Amino acid sequence: MKTTFLPTATRHLLRASLLTALVSATLPTLAQSGDKDQLVVPLSSPGKPGMLRVKLVNGSINVVGYSGKDVVIDAASRDSKRTASRHLPATANGLRRIDNDSGVELTVDENDNRVNVKTDSYRHPVQLTIKVPQNFSLQVSTVQDGNIVVENVTGELEVGNVNGGIQLKDVGGSAVANTVNGAVTATFRSVSNGAPMAFSSVNGAVDVSFPNSTKAAFKLKTDHGEIYSDFDLVTERSAPKVNRSNEGGTYRVNVDNWTYGKINGGGAEVMMKTLNGNIYIRKAK
């Protein structure tokens, strides 16, 4: 494993090949366990809120809040697991397999409690497990070959996927979570007053649990599904709004068939939308 660190204490660069490890006592600690690499990234201002940014092309992301003060990143290439499990063909009896480098190339940049993680996931699927202090905001996304799971984190959460699901477990603050092919599920232990939120999918259910005392104004829509709630949701039963526009002599008519409703007198807007799937608004247990 080859590791290079920039001279400033707030910026760290890691390039990992899963072969050797170079560890510095005054900079992030790099360790190897099995087919995974672990990087411990100290924050510039421990104990203060921070931000984690991760964007993958292929792979999964699991972010877990914990009581520590550092950001801890475990990275693994799924290709390395598949390579190790392959058997030699009979025609290769007596020969040894020469493997290509299937390690994870990881770049981590920390500045003023903002941690940016970049990988070579365009080459092969990457599995990231990241521990952050509980009071941390997130901007995380992936495109394919993986789900995103966020647990025990409070902050402004922006989560995006394309071909996979999104799960937010025991989170606080506010969230915007969108995917195309997969379900969106979220359970909030607390919500930020006055912060709008949005949850959407194209092919999948949208299932969100809120604290009983949450004040919110909902904007809901499912084209091929139903809407369910155990809150006393006061809905507006007005007729669908018809919007007409004239562009270049062509008339466009758009019917706004959203369902609007409030809980506990209303509050910030919460948009929940899916094309194929049900919508669930639950009281957190």
Side-chain angles (χ1 to χ4, degrees):
M1 186 178 305
K2 180 180 178 183
T3 308
T4 304
F5 297 105
L6 296 181
T8 62
T10 60
R11 185 172 177 88
H12 316 293
L13 178 64
L14 167 68
R15 294 181 62 85
S17 63
L18 299 176
L19 296 176
T20 61
L22 177 63
V23 179
S24 171
T26 59
L27 293 174
T29 302
L30 178 64
Q32 184 175 347
S33 175
D35 58 358
K36 292 184 178 181
D37 285 299
Q38 184 178 92
L39 180 68
V40 179
V41 182
L43 297 175
S44 301
S45 302
K48 293 185 178 180
M51 166 71 76
L52 172 70
R53 294 187 176 97
V54 184
K55 290 185 178 181
L56 298 184
V57 177
N58 298 293
S60 61
I61 304 171
N62 188 354
V63 182
V64 182
Y66 79 123
S67 58
K69 61 181 181 179
D70 302 320
V71 173
V72 182
I73 303 170
D74 286 306
S77 168
R78 293 184 196 164
D79 284 354
S80 62
K81 298 179 181 179
R82 288 197 288 265
T83 299
S85 65
R86 288 202 302 262
H87 297 287
L88 290 174
T91 54
N93 187 30
L95 306 179
R96 63 185 179 89
R97 183 178 60 234
I98 306 300
D99 290 330
N100 294 324
D101 178 17
S102 59
V104 178
E105 185 173 305
L106 198 68
T107 301
V108 180
D109 183 338
E110 190 278 342
N111 189 358
D112 194 24
N113 278 23
R114 295 178 178 270
V115 180
N116 298 306
V117 180
K118 297 181 181 179
T119 76
D120 58 342
S121 63
Y122 62 91
R123 294 173 51 206
H124 47 67
V126 173
Q127 181 175 331
L128 293 179
T129 300
I130 305 175
K131 293 196 296 185
V132 300
Q134 293 177 347
N135 191 11
F136 232 71
S137 294
L138 307 177
Q139 293 178 357
V140 296
S141 65
T142 188
V143 177
Q144 61 188 12
D145 206 7
N147 299 320
I148 298 179
V149 180
V150 177
E151 303 177 61
N152 194 31
V153 177
T154 296
E156 296 179 2
L157 312 179
E158 297 181 21
V159 184
N161 203 343
V162 178
N163 293 307
I166 295 173
Q167 295 183 59
L168 310 180
K169 302 178 180 180
D170 193 30
V171 298
S174 63
V176 174
N178 304 297
T179 187
V180 177
N181 296 308
V184 176
T185 62
T187 302
F188 285 86
R189 60 169 175 252
S190 63
V191 297
S192 298
N193 292 330
M197 294 191 277
F199 308 89
S200 69
S201 178
V202 175
N203 297 303
V206 177
D207 190 331
V208 185
S209 298
F210 298 95
N212 291 359
S213 60
T214 300
K215 297 178 180 292
F218 287 93
K219 182 179 179 181
L220 312 167
K221 184 177 182 180
T222 174
D223 292 291
H224 303 286
E226 304 293 337
I227 300 172
Y228 301 93
S229 177
D230 57 0
F231 277 98
D232 184 11
L233 184 67
V234 179
T235 60
E236 298 178 8
R237 301 184 178 277
S238 59
K241 299 177 182 178
V242 179
N243 301 315
R244 295 180 173 86
S245 62
N246 182 357
E247 298 179 2
T250 301
Y251 286 89
R252 175 178 297 175
V253 178
N254 178 40
V255 179
D256 180 7
N257 57 353
W258 292 80
T259 297
Y260 297 87
K262 298 178 180 179
I263 58 174
N264 297 318
E269 181 180 273
V270 178
M271 188 276 287
M272 300 172 66
K273 178 183 178 181
T274 181
L275 180 66
N276 297 303
N278 293 331
I279 292 175
Y280 301 92
I281 306 169
R282 305 179 190 268
K283 295 180 180 178
K285 304 300 183 183

